Amino acid sequence: MEEKLIARLESAVTRLEALSTGFRSGVVPGIDVETVSDPSIVAFDDLIGQYLGRVLSAAEKIGGQVLEATKILQEAFNVQKELLIKTKQTQKPDVAGLAEFLKPLNGVIMKANKLTEGRRSDFFNHLKSAADSLSALKWIAYTGKECGMSMPIAHVEESWQMAEFYNNKILVEYKSKDPNHSEWAKAIKELYLPGLRDYVKSNYPLGPVWSPTGKPAAAPPTTRTPGAPAPPPPPPASLFSSESSQASSSRPKEGMAAVFQEISSGKPVTAGLRKVTDDMKTKNREDRTGVVGTSEKGRTDTSTFSKSGPPKLELQMGRKWVVENQIGKKQMVIDDCDAKQSVYVYGCKDSVLQIQGKVNNITVDKCTKMGVVFTDVVAACEIVNCNGVEVQCQGSAPTISVDNTAGCQLYLSKESLGASITTAKSSEINVLVPGAEPDGDWLQGEHALPQQFVHVFKDGRFETTPVSHSGG
């Protein structure tokens, strides 16, 4: 309570100093005092001071990549504040002008997304939560029912739901390990719900308010020869695209489009083909006898070595089992483990791993046709970016999450029937539970998790329900 009061007092002092000097920190030059003191801008300052300050305080205690992501989050909110100020002195732009107007915000969002790319870090859930949450700031692009976006309040709520998947993982993982991480996760949620949502509800429920008497919005830069007619307007593009629009007619054709263009050009289809002479035919070449040699010298067994790197199965720093780049290994076993250790499986294919004992956390990342059998897990079992995997729990597991995976079979024991299963951007997820009889067939208890949903706009918001098929 004291921290919130101090943050609000500091925000009030900053505003008073800005009014007395005619300048305001974080405000672009050329903005008058009347715009600076607008109630909606003052309320946004309160939002930053009350909610964002708490997130930043928790991130400073954690440091590293979490602090870096939080500073990008802070930068994004500062950019939104500048855009809100500009809307009060700018006329409503067209689609091209709006894309140019939103470029600064788009640049910060791209910077946050880059932190989540590459090798998965230990703080991937923090980075993903911060990056995905920034889509909530795109509510400022709402221009009406025709724009294809949800209304601002609903957009903020829906955008946070994408980030909450990873935010909940942080709360589960650090529940009894480090309170600073839990505080960060709780603070970033409150920044959006109720923070940003209530701000938008109170000030911009129908979208940003543009000035009818303000200056025209800056148009995107164009280059043309003096005296030449103006080029036609570009086709509509995403307001948050990082690349400028390019006319499709000026792009070179690729793939099958190039083939069909060549055929329809009227030129002989065999023009440019090389003539195959008799000495070029395989049956007439002396170096191609069709006999397979028996020498194995110099051959490499590619079935046991991944292009990503050498295979690994080792315990690192006494806390993390790493299983990487294993191909065709069906007898891998981890038996010397305890509840404080985690298991990370990465880049494996056509292999089976048995984990005999209780571990803290299991992550299966970028694996294909991989089988994992484990006894007990304390926090969660996560399947991410996989294809055709099978996971069997022989003991207990409080949480199982499946993210960006195509094809996953989950086998649950009677002890793990109460597990919370979370799925996102995944398909073909089947859960098999034991039958009523002790020796019953697994297939008698097979359940397919829904991957199709129906969204209906009702009472001012969207209601989502799974698609139900007849005979299901």
Side-chain angles (χ1 to χ4, degrees):
M1 184 66 185
E2 293 180 356
E3 293 181 357
K4 293 182 178 179
L5 181 60
I6 293 173
R8 298 195 67 177
L9 288 173
E10 291 177 348
S11 177
V13 171
T14 303
R15 290 199 299 272
L16 290 173
E17 291 176 349
L19 292 174
S20 63
T21 61
F23 178 78
R24 185 182 180 85
S25 62
V27 177
V28 295
I31 303 300
D32 55 45
V33 176
E34 183 178 355
T35 303
V36 168
S37 58
D38 187 274
S40 64
I41 304 301
V42 173
F44 197 81
D45 273 333
D46 291 339
L47 169 70
I48 293 177
Q50 180 178 357
Y51 292 101
L52 187 57
R54 182 183 166 195
V55 184
L56 191 60
S57 176
E60 289 175 345
K61 296 176 182 178
I62 301 171
Q65 289 182 311
V66 178
L67 179 59
E68 182 182 359
T70 306
K71 288 184 176 180
I72 295 178
L73 186 76
Q74 182 184 32
E75 181 183 354
F77 271 81
N78 289 334
V79 169
Q80 173 134 106
K81 174 185 170 183
E82 294 181 3
L83 295 180
L84 288 173
I85 293 174
K86 288 181 179 179
T87 59
K88 300 186 177 301
Q89 292 191 336
T90 307
Q91 296 179 15
K92 185 176 180 178
D94 56 13
V95 175
L98 184 60
E100 183 70 19
F101 177 82
L102 296 170
K103 265 189 175 181
L105 181 59
N106 183 34
V108 180
I109 294 176
M110 290 179 61
K111 187 191 300 185
N113 289 332
K114 285 183 179 179
L115 291 180
T116 65
E117 298 174 354
R119 185 182 178 88
R120 187 184 177 102
S121 72
D122 293 336
F123 302 107
F124 177 80
N125 293 327
H126 299 73
L127 305 181
K128 194 69 175 172
S129 179
D132 287 0
S133 70
L134 290 182
S135 62
L137 298 180
K138 298 178 184 179
W139 70 264
I140 197 173
Y142 183 82
T143 56
K145 296 180 179 179
E146 318 77 39
C147 70
M149 291 178 56
S150 300
M151 293 190 68
I153 300 173
H155 177 81
V156 173
E157 293 176 340
E158 294 166 4
S159 299
W160 170 249
Q161 289 176 3
M162 296 188 300
E164 192 170 24
F165 176 79
Y166 298 96
N167 203 58
N168 288 339
K169 290 184 177 182
I170 301 172
L171 294 174
V172 172
E173 182 179 357
Y174 292 93
K175 182 178 180 180
S176 57
K177 291 170 59 176
D178 191 339
N180 292 327
H181 291 267
S182 299
E183 171 66 17
W184 185 89
K186 294 176 182 178
I188 194 173
K189 179 177 181 178
E190 292 181 5
L191 173 63
Y192 293 97
L193 302 179
L196 183 62
R197 179 194 62 193
D198 289 355
Y199 170 79
V200 173
K201 183 177 180 180
S202 301
N203 298 277
Y204 301 102
L206 301 178
V209 180
W210 303 88
S211 173
T213 59
K215 60 183 180 180
T222 58
T223 57
R224 63 187 182 95
T225 306
S238 170
L239 298 179
F240 291 91
S241 174
S242 61
E243 298 179 359
S244 59
S245 299
Q246 181 182 4
S248 59
S249 61
S250 63
R251 296 175 182 168
K253 295 291 192 297
E254 298 179 356
M256 291 305 298
V259 175
F260 289 118
Q261 184 184 42
E262 183 70 19
I263 294 174
S264 61
S265 64
K267 299 178 181 179
V269 294
T270 58
L273 297 182
R274 294 177 59 188
K275 178 67 175 178
V276 180
T277 60
D278 289 339
D279 61 327
M280 296 172 62
K281 295 179 181 179
T282 303
K283 64 179 182 178
N284 297 327
R285 293 180 59 175
E286 296 181 358
D287 59 337
R288 300 291 180 88
T289 62
V291 179
V292 180
T294 59
S295 174
E296 296 293 329
K297 185 178 181 180
R299 291 187 58 183
T300 303
D301 185 5
T302 58
S303 62
T304 60
F305 192 82
S306 170
K307 295 181 180 180
S308 302
K312 291 182 181 179
L313 201 168
E314 61 187 18
L315 178 63
Q316 297 181 351
M317 306 296 292
R319 299 295 298 272
K320 182 177 181 180
W321 284 95
V322 175
V323 184
E324 292 185 355
N325 306 318
Q326 300 284 352
I327 297 179
K329 298 297 182 67
K330 306 287 188 179
Q331 304 294 331
M332 295 186 293
V333 178
I334 296 177
D335 52 7
D336 185 16
C337 53
D338 58 55
K340 294 183 180 180
Q341 295 173 346
S342 62
V343 179
Y344 180 61
V345 186
Y346 176 83
C348 296
K349 182 178 180 181
D350 195 24
S351 301
V352 177
L353 172 67
Q354 297 183 49
I355 305 171
Q356 300 176 354
K358 180 182 288 187
V359 293
N360 183 269
N361 184 74
I362 299 173
T363 302
V364 185
D365 186 9
K366 290 186 179 179
C367 293
T368 303
K369 296 182 180 179
M370 180 70 185
V372 177
V373 181
F374 66 91
T375 306
D376 299 289
V377 65
V378 177
C381 175
E382 304 170 87
I383 301 110
V384 188
N385 304 322
C386 292
N387 188 5
V389 296
E390 297 185 23
V391 177
Q392 180 177 355
C393 176
Q394 298 177 328
S396 62
T399 303
I400 299 175
S401 64
V402 184
D403 183 19
N404 195 28
T405 293
C408 178
Q409 296 273 10
L410 299 176
Y411 297 83
L412 302 183
S413 64
K414 290 185 178 180
E415 293 81 3
S416 60
L417 290 180
S420 172
I421 303 176
T422 306
T423 64
K425 296 186 290 185
S426 299
S427 61
E428 303 174 36
I429 310 299
N430 293 319
V431 182
L432 293 92
V433 298
E437 300 296 330
D439 298 328
D441 188 358
W442 281 93
L443 294 178
Q444 294 178 359
E446 183 175 7
H447 304 269
L449 301 187
Q451 65 187 57
Q452 293 180 317
F453 300 89
V454 176
H455 310 279
V456 180
F457 190 75
K458 185 177 180 181
D459 298 331
R461 61 182 299 168
F462 278 96
E463 293 184 357
T464 304
T465 55
V467 173
S468 59
H469 300 280
S470 61

